[in-house]
Amino acid sequence: MKLVYFAWVRERIGLSDETVTLPADVKTVTDLLTWLKGRGENYEAAMERPEIIRVAINQEHADHSTPLPPHGEIALFPPMTGG
Amino acid sequence: MASACEPLVRVQADDFDLATETRRLTARRRDVGAVVSFTGLCRDENGRLEALELEHYPGMAEAEIIRIANQATTRWPLTGLTVIHRFGKIAPGDNIVLVVAASSHRRAAFEAADFLMDFLKSRAPFWKKEHVRGSAKTGWVEANDKDLEDLKRWED
């Protein structure tokens, strides 16, 4: 699965994207955020408040209860501040 | 009702020109009775800011603005709609975003432009980082609860 990160999520993790193999029990967006949080200090800092992290699956907004697709691109980012 | 117009959406580092974009929606047409435009500019926050840096999610930024713009064209009878959002480093006084809505009647144009901006603020994947004048300090602009409140105005 390709993960892409933006704004302070990207800065705290220290990567703009990575390809990961998800454990079988990581089934939803919430599972993914919890799993990422356990991958090290940088991830823990980025996922400090997982409830505020926004997620897009294949470039469409998805809420935290959404099941993960078998493949594609999952983006994690802070609430948007454009406009 | 005539079929919805095709919105023009651009996400670019370069500046835009309001007159050019307005002309594009009115030239050689006789059915346009109203053009409403909104331009968002970079403020210096009373001299505090050196620049704003806008990060975006390439691909999704365009796709999301197109989704929002298409919603506007089905909700209001527009004759044309243009949305341009810049990314990269933007100095105080410079343009950030442009919405131009054209319609036969003014209310549709006003409302569509207002709707577009409310949805862009909270749904389009752009993030602003502040560069503070005379310092290496930067900080991400925090999302504003008011922007989310504004979205609720458009619920039926």
Side-chain angles (χ1 to χ4, degrees):
Chain A
M1 187 73 76
K2 188 180 181 193
L3 302 179
V4 295
Y5 309 121
F6 293 96
W8 55 251
V9 172
R10 171 178 53 74
E11 287 182 348
R12 289 183 194 178
I13 292 176
L15 289 172
S16 58
D17 61 273
E18 62 182 320
T19 300
V20 296
T21 304
L22 297 176
D25 61 346
V26 175
K27 293 192 168 71
T28 66
V29 169
T30 300
D31 296 341
L32 173 66
L33 297 175
T34 308
W35 178 73
L36 279 173
K37 196 171 181 170
R39 293 183 77 210
E41 268 178 36
N42 49 335
Y43 290 92
E44 198 177 340
M47 302 296 138
E48 193 181 15
R49 291 167 61 204
E51 70 281 4
I52 69 165
I53 303 288
R54 301 293 181 92
V55 177
I57 297 177
N58 292 323
Q59 307 197 342
E60 287 199 46
H61 292 291
D63 65 39
H64 287 194
S65 62
T66 309
L68 300 177
H71 48 76
E73 181 174 280
I74 302 186
L76 287 83
F77 43 76
M80 291 70 82
T81 56
Chain B
M1 201 180 100
S3 61
C5 70
E6 180 93 11
L8 173 71
V9 170
R10 295 209 310 258
V11 174
Q12 60 188 40
D14 292 341
D15 198 9
F16 49 76
D17 177 62
L18 171 59
T20 305
E21 300 307 329
T22 303
R23 210 174 302 119
R24 194 198 303 277
L25 297 186
T26 57
R28 296 177 303 279
R29 297 193 69 141
R30 305 178 70 127
D31 58 339
V32 181
V35 177
V36 168
S37 72
F38 171 84
T39 307
L41 296 93
C42 175
R43 292 186 302 260
D44 74 352
E45 302 290 356
N46 300 316
R48 188 173 62 84
L49 286 198
E50 176 84 40
L52 273 180
E53 191 173 348
L54 274 125
E55 177 169 338
H56 75 302
Y57 182 176
M60 183 180 170
E62 292 85 347
E64 189 61 22
I65 298 175
I66 290 169
R67 280 192 281 268
I68 298 164
N70 282 331
Q71 279 181 36
T73 64
T74 55
R75 194 162 170 160
W76 289 278
L78 303 178
T79 57
L81 178 61
T82 298
V83 183
I84 302 174
H85 203 305
R86 296 181 65 194
F87 61 84
K89 218 164 177 183
I90 294 176
D94 287 356
N95 295 322
I96 297 175
V97 63
L98 176 71
V99 171
V100 190
S103 179
S104 296
H105 301 286
R106 74 187 146 88
R107 192 161 311 279
F110 271 122
E111 289 184 357
D114 199 10
F115 169 90
L116 247 306
M117 281 311 303
D118 281 346
F119 274 75
L120 274 179
K121 281 269 182 200
S122 302
R123 301 278 303 174
F126 289 87
W127 302 271
K128 285 180 181 140
K129 185 188 233 182
E130 295 182 335
H131 289 258
V132 177
R133 183 168 292 279
S135 136
K137 226 178 99 189
T138 61
W140 292 97
V141 174
E142 278 201 47
N144 188 341
D145 289 341
K146 174 71 168 56
D147 290 339
L148 281 178
E149 284 296 305
D150 287 343
L151 275 192
K152 293 188 184 148
R153 297 192 297 141
W154 304 102
E155 285 171 7
D156 290 321

